């Protein structure tokens, strides 16, 4: 931590020094009568105006740096890693890349954190230098080299060389006070980056089904996390809005609604419309020929066919938006059609660099390490999904200047996407050491009832009796119905106003559906069960939402408002003498390290597990520590332990931010 503080201080000092020099230079120019004022960057033509612009920029940058350094939540694990990293460097200066392992302790008797680097260093010394040194001896040397710091109370060496770390209570108390005063702030993560997230991505003319649920929910949550930590996030919906299927749709539109150019066709059920056109395409040879002609006319940008295409796309967009409104999803549409004009250049670029081979009339690209080539042009001169995905990759890297690209796509597309990424790297579009391009793969949603199972590679996908995949809108409506039934079973309709009941229904229904998905490791399949997700016991959104409303109610029932809590946060010292107070305080402050881990591995179930742990830790605290003491006879409040109410507030504040990242909307009364 001292190293980070020193770096920040040095950066601030450099900026302050440059400001002094620039101010002196402006004064010098004033004396020569060179003072000039320019309203914009383009107008900065003289030396003095350029200096003034640079000065203002630096002052603003300095303010932001100071604000960020004082308000950012401290990642305690990172601080300890810096401390022990410095200690290991001091103890073993000649050791290259020594292991640095710092983790929260699983049991209080082992302190608050543990540094388990000594065992790894012992093995390295034995292998590289043939020095047999016991881990305990190494641990002792590390402990002696720990620099002065503000967070460690004491360290103890246990067993063969584990270093148990005990945090200072005044340090933890100070961080909790900062959280209460400044709110939940993102941890300091360095340079601001541009992140492009590709998620949801349904196909035009087909309804969104349960298979789109995971990509939509996971992608939205990832975007919220990246935005919270200060990154510039571009949320892209890579719609399937181009291709040969539009030929049959337009041909069917012409037959069914011949006056579509002047009268908007009343297409109510686009799914049925698609099935009708597909059946004709498969059975009517003349229709099939006309469908291919429609594709050619569409791709040549014939105005009538572009209008037909837009009509079909608009019907789908309206249906998609209903889903996105329900789930509070924000996306920018950038479908395959967006990249169509770029595909010709993609083929030429691969040809110019000698990567293209011709196979039975097709133009293909073999990527080292991948057995199946990418087909970038069909034998009839048409483009493919491979071409479209390569064009999208290049645009996101070279035009959008993305530092991080995340594709939230099912695991079945893993080989294809890895081949596309490797092709982009091969042709020189990006360096993986500089730019992160990742496939956030996920498993399938499985049905709970045997009749809804569909056998597929010995796994059962979530489908209806007829074999069709469950429509997502039907799933959401069923969630609303079941959430209301659950609330009425608990007689919440008798204590909540109609508006509060409606808000609780929406919060529980959509919150539970999202949480059921996000609380599972995205790499695994999971069984969709309304009964389990609406259960208010265990690691579910229902339990967490109820817990949150109860925590929020504690101060309210004690007649303590937000203004009083803010005043107390500035004046009160958070006492952490009781073991449950101490446990809760430390748990609250682990939030930044949880977020840091997710930024690295993109596994959002870690946040769900943390929120559940926080809620259960709070319950332990509340059961053991009186926040508000009442007279047993009259029920009147006789004492308010304000520091404990502040712990309640800190818990609720972190839970609220966790909910926000997960896309869950809690309510004050439930």
């Amino acid at each position: 931590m001292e190293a980070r503080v020193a770096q920040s201080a040095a950066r601030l000092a450099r900026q302050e020094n440059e400001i002094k020099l620039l101010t002196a230079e402006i004064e010098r120019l004033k004396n020569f009568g060179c003072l000039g004022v320019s309203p914009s960057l383009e107008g900065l033509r003289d030396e003095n105006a350029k200096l003034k612009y640079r000065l203002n920029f630096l002052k603003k940058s300095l303010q932001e740096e100071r604000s960020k350094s004082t308000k950012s939540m401290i990642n305690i694990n990172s601080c300890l890693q810096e401390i022990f990293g410095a200690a290991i460097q001091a103890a073993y200066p000649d050791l290259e890349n020594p292991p640095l392992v710092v983790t929260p302790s699983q049991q209080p008797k082992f302190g608050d954190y543990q540094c388990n680097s000594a065992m790894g260093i012992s093995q390295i010394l034995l292998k590289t230098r043939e020095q047999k040194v016991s881990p305990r001896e190494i641990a002792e040397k590390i402990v002696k080299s720990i620099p002065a710091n503000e967070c460690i109370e004491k360290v103890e060496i246990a067993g063969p060389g584990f270093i148990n770390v005990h945090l200072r209570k005044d340090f933890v108390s100070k961080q909790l006070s900062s959280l209460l005063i400044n709110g939940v702030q993102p941890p300091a993560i360095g340079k601001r980056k541009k992140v492009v997230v590709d998620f949801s991505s349904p196909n035009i003319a087909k309804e969104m089904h349960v298979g789109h649920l995971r990509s939509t929910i996971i992608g939205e949550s990832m975007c919220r996390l990246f935005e919270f930590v200060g990154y510039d996030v571009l949320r892209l919906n890579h719609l399937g809005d181009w291709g040969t299927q539009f030929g049959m749709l337009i041909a069917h539109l012409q037959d069914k609604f011949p006056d579509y150019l002047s009268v908007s066709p009343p297409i109510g059920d686009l799914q049925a419309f698609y099935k009708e056109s597909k059946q004709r395409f498969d059975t009517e040879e003349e229709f099939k020929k006309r469908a291919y002609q429609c594709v050619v006319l569409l791709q040549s940008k014939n105005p009538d066919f572009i209008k037909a295409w837009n009509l079909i796309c608009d019907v789908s967009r309206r249906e998609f938006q209903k889903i996105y409104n329900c789930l509070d999803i924000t996306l920018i549409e950038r479908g395959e059609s967006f990249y169509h004009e770029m595909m010709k250049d993609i083929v030429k670029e691969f040809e110019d660099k000698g990567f293209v081979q011709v196979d039975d009339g097709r133009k293909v690209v073999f990527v080292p390490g991948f057995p199946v080539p990418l087909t970038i042009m069909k034998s009839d001169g048409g483009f493919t999904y491979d071409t479209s995905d390569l064009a999208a990759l290049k645009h996101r890297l070279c035009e959008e200047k993305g530092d991080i690209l995340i594709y939230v796509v099912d695991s079945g597309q893993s080989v294809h996407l890895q081949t596309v990424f490797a092709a982009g790297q091969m042709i020189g579009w990006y360096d993986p050491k500089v730019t992160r391009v990742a496939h956030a793969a996920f498993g399938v949603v499985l049905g709970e009832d045997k009749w809804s199972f569909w056998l597929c590679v010995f796994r059962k996908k979530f489908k209806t009796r007829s074999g069709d995949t469950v429509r997502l809108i039907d799933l959401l409506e069923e969630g609303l119905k079941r959430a209301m039934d659950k609330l009425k079973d608990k007689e919440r309709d008798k204590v909540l106003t109609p508006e509060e009941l409606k808000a609780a229904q929406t919060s529980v229904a959509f919150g539970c559906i999202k949480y059921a998905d996000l609380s599972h490791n995205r790499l695994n399949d999971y069984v969709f069960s309304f009964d389990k997700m609406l259960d208010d016991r265990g690691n579910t959104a229902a339990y967490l939402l109820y817990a949150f409303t109860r925590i929020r109610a504690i101060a309210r029932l004690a007649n303590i408002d937000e203004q009083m809590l803010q005043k107390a946060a500035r004046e009160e010292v958070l006492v952490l003498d009781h073991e449950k107070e101490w446990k809760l305080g430390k748990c609250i402050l682990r939030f930044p390290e949880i977020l840091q881990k997710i930024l690295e591995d993109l596994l959002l179930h870690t946040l769900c597990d943390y929120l559940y742990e926080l809620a259960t830790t709070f319950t332990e605290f509340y059961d053991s520590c009186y926040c508000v003491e009442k007279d047993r006879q009259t029920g009147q409040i006789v004492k308010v332990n304000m520091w404990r109410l502040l712990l309640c507030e800190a818990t609720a504040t972190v839970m609220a931010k966790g909910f926000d990242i997960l896309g869950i909307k809690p309510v004050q009364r439930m």
Side-chain angles (χ1 to χ4, degrees):
M1 183 174 61
E2 282 195 339
R4 187 173 63 203
V5 170
Q7 287 174 357
S8 181
R11 187 162 56 248
L12 293 175
R14 284 196 301 272
Q15 289 182 341
E16 285 175 332
N17 187 51
E18 190 171 353
I19 285 171
K20 287 178 184 176
L21 291 171
L22 286 168
T23 304
E25 183 67 9
I26 286 172
E27 287 301 315
R28 184 183 68 80
L29 289 170
K30 271 185 185 178
N31 295 334
F32 284 95
C34 297
L35 187 60
V37 179
S38 299
S40 66
L41 184 58
E42 288 74 25
L44 299 178
R45 298 184 181 279
D46 64 318
E47 182 81 16
N48 177 70
K50 289 178 182 177
L51 285 170
K52 287 182 72 178
Y53 178 83
R54 176 65 180 157
L55 179 62
N56 290 332
F57 173 81
L58 274 171
K59 283 181 176 177
K60 185 179 178 183
S61 175
L62 189 63
Q63 280 181 333
E64 288 176 355
E65 189 74 37
R66 281 174 172 158
S67 175
K68 197 184 293 182
S69 63
T70 56
K71 289 187 177 181
S72 292
M73 286 185 73
I74 288 179
N75 182 334
I76 295 175
N77 196 312
S78 294
C79 290
L80 293 173
Q81 286 188 32
E82 288 179 11
I83 290 167
F84 279 98
I88 292 168
Q89 179 66 30
Y92 296 95
D94 299 329
L95 205 60
E96 288 187 17
N97 300 317
L100 184 57
V101 185
V102 179
T103 58
S105 295
Q106 299 302 310
Q107 298 181 46
K109 65 180 180 180
F110 297 135
D112 305 312
Y113 284 81
Q114 280 188 332
C115 175
N116 301 329
S117 299
M119 280 69 77
I121 292 172
S122 175
Q123 291 175 358
I124 290 172
L125 292 175
L126 184 62
K127 287 179 182 178
T128 61
R129 303 183 186 180
E130 297 184 350
Q131 294 179 6
K132 192 173 182 180
V133 186
S134 73
R136 191 173 182 90
E137 185 180 335
I138 292 169
E140 288 170 353
K141 196 170 181 181
I142 292 171
V143 166
K144 287 177 183 175
S145 303
I146 291 175
N149 62 85
E150 62 175 345
C151 59
I152 297 177
E153 177 70 31
K154 64 175 181 177
V155 293
E156 298 167 335
I157 300 172
F162 301 110
I163 303 174
N164 296 336
V165 180
H166 297 260
L167 298 175
R168 288 177 55 169
K169 286 189 176 178
D170 61 342
F171 169 76
V172 172
S173 178
K174 181 182 174 184
Q175 300 311 314
L176 289 168
S177 295
S178 176
L179 184 156
L180 287 160
I181 293 166
N182 298 314
V184 181
Q185 298 294 324
I189 54 165
K191 180 187 171 186
R192 190 168 189 250
K193 295 181 179 179
K194 174 80 173 279
V195 183
V196 181
V197 184
D198 176 327
F199 67 106
S200 193
S201 308
N203 290 314
I204 292 292
K206 293 183 181 179
E207 289 194 77
M208 289 181 74
H209 55 75
V210 71
H212 293 109
L213 184 69
R214 299 209 76 182
S215 177
T216 305
I217 290 172
I218 294 168
E220 172 70 23
S221 188
M222 284 183 183
C223 290
R224 287 169 178 254
L225 174 58
F226 282 118
E227 286 163 351
F228 173 61
V229 299
Y231 287 166
D232 176 16
V233 180
L234 179 60
R235 303 150 158 263
L236 292 185
N237 197 1
H238 189 74
L239 290 179
D241 66 351
W242 200 253
T244 55
Q245 75 272 24
F246 282 94
M248 68 182 190
L249 289 166
I250 292 170
H252 190 53
L253 180 72
Q254 290 172 333
D255 292 345
K256 197 164 184 178
F257 306 103
D259 57 349
Y260 74 91
L261 290 172
S262 55
V263 180
S264 183
I267 304 174
D269 188 342
L270 196 56
Q271 186 81 354
F273 186 85
Y274 179 88
K275 285 183 177 179
E276 289 169 10
S277 65
K278 183 70 168 71
Q279 187 177 11
R280 292 186 67 189
F281 185 83
D282 292 338
T283 58
E284 300 176 24
E285 197 59 37
E286 282 302 313
F287 179 83
K288 190 173 188 176
K289 288 179 182 177
R290 194 153 56 86
Y292 282 129
Q293 290 169 356
C294 289
V295 173
V296 173
L297 290 166
L298 174 64
Q299 292 182 344
S300 64
K301 301 295 179 68
N302 180 293
D304 290 351
F305 288 81
I306 289 292
K307 181 168 184 179
W309 173 71
N310 275 321
L311 285 169
I312 293 166
C313 290
D314 285 343
V315 175
S316 280
R317 287 190 189 102
R318 287 195 293 272
E319 294 304 311
F320 296 159
Q321 198 56 47
K322 290 177 185 176
I323 304 287
Y324 297 145
N325 289 343
C326 282
L327 296 175
D328 195 21
I329 308 296
T330 304
L331 282 154
I332 293 173
E333 181 185 319
R334 198 171 284 178
E336 292 166 11
S337 61
F338 178 85
Y339 305 101
H340 183 69
E341 296 300 321
M342 308 173 197
M343 295 186 202
K344 210 178 294 180
D345 293 336
I346 292 294
V347 174
K348 186 176 185 303
E349 184 174 354
F350 274 92
E351 284 180 325
D352 290 347
K353 295 194 176 179
F355 291 124
V356 174
Q357 296 181 31
V358 179
D359 177 35
D360 198 22
R362 300 177 305 140
K363 291 183 178 180
V364 300
V365 174
F366 281 91
V367 182
F370 295 90
V372 180
L374 295 171
T375 300
I376 60 173
M377 183 175 280
K378 295 186 288 188
S379 56
D380 63 2
F383 301 119
T384 68
Y385 289 123
D386 293 349
T387 332
S388 171
D389 287 339
L390 285 167
L393 177 66
K394 184 179 182 184
H395 189 267
R396 293 163 186 180
L397 289 166
C398 304
E399 300 299 323
E400 294 294 349
K401 308 293 184 187
D403 300 299
I404 302 172
L405 272 58
I406 309 292
Y407 287 69
V408 188
V409 182
D410 71 89
S411 53
Q413 298 294 315
S414 183
V415 174
H416 165 70
L417 285 174
Q418 294 305 327
T419 309
V420 170
F421 299 162
Q425 188 180 335
M426 177 179 75
I427 203 166
W429 292 342
Y430 77 102
D431 178 354
K433 294 177 182 176
V434 177
T435 305
R436 180 183 183 184
V437 180
H439 174 205
F442 55 84
V444 300
V445 183
L446 306 177
E448 187 179 31
D449 301 324
K450 288 183 179 178
W451 58 261
S452 67
F453 286 164
W454 180 63
L455 198 63
C456 177
V457 197
F458 304 105
R459 300 314 300 269
K460 302 178 177 85
K461 282 188 178 180
F462 199 92
K463 292 216 167 187
T464 63
R465 288 181 193 270
S466 63
D468 292 332
T469 306
V470 175
R471 295 196 322 160
L472 191 46
I473 193 70
D474 294 340
L475 192 81
L476 298 180
E477 287 172 357
E478 179 68 13
L480 285 169
K481 178 183 174 299
R482 295 207 187 198
M484 182 59 79
D485 291 344
K486 185 80 173 179
L487 290 165
K488 286 182 177 178
D489 285 346
K490 291 183 167 291
E491 299 186 334
R492 305 317 296 162
D493 54 323
K494 295 179 180 178
V495 295
L496 298 176
T497 66
E499 292 77 15
E500 289 173 335
L501 185 64
K502 179 68 176 172
Q505 177 196 23
T506 304
S507 174
V508 171
F510 300 146
C512 286
I513 289 171
K514 290 180 179 182
Y515 192 85
D517 192 309
L518 295 169
S519 61
H520 289 85
N521 186 322
R522 63 172 166 78
L523 297 171
N524 301 331
D525 301 343
Y526 83 95
V527 175
F528 189 98
S529 167
F530 275 121
D531 290 338
K532 288 180 181 176
M533 68 177 64
L534 290 168
D535 193 342
D536 55 11
R537 297 162 298 176
N539 188 8
T540 66
Y543 169 77
L544 291 175
L545 287 166
Y546 282 123
F548 178 80
T549 56
R550 286 196 297 271
I551 296 168
R552 281 287 193 217
I554 295 168
R556 188 171 67 245
L557 294 174
N559 298 317
I560 304 294
D561 61 24
E562 191 175 338
Q563 197 171 6
M564 295 165 73
L565 285 169
Q566 277 295 304
K567 184 174 183 293
R570 287 178 165 80
E571 297 174 357
E572 290 268 345
V573 174
L574 274 80
V575 181
L576 303 169
D577 290 339
H578 195 285
E579 63 172 329
K580 299 301 181 184
E581 294 172 335
W582 179 238
K583 184 179 179 181
L584 179 60
K586 290 185 297 176
C587 188
I588 291 167
L589 294 181
R590 278 184 40 231
F591 187 58
E593 60 192 75
I594 296 298
L595 299 188
Q596 185 64 53
K597 183 179 184 301
I598 301 168
L599 289 170
E600 292 165 5
D601 61 25
L602 305 176
L603 295 172
L604 288 154
H605 71 276
T606 307
L607 176 56
C608 299
D609 291 343
Y610 167 75
L611 291 175
Y612 180 61
E613 180 189 348
L614 181 59
T616 53
T617 303
F618 177 85
T619 301
E620 290 178 23
F621 154 78
Y622 191 69
D623 289 344
S624 303
C625 304
Y626 288 113
C627 297
V628 180
E629 298 180 35
K630 296 181 179 180
D631 186 288
R632 292 188 178 182
Q633 301 297 323
T634 64
Q636 295 293 312
I637 295 173
V638 295
K639 185 181 180 183
V640 174
N641 295 315
M642 189 59 81
W643 80 92
R644 287 178 176 164
L645 280 187
L646 290 174
L647 278 174
C648 297
E649 178 65 14
T651 303
T653 303
V654 168
M655 286 185 74
K657 178 48 68 178
F659 286 149
D660 182 59
I661 291 170
L662 297 175
I664 295 171
K665 290 183 176 179
V667 289
Q668 295 302 316
R669 298 192 69 212
M670 185 176 292

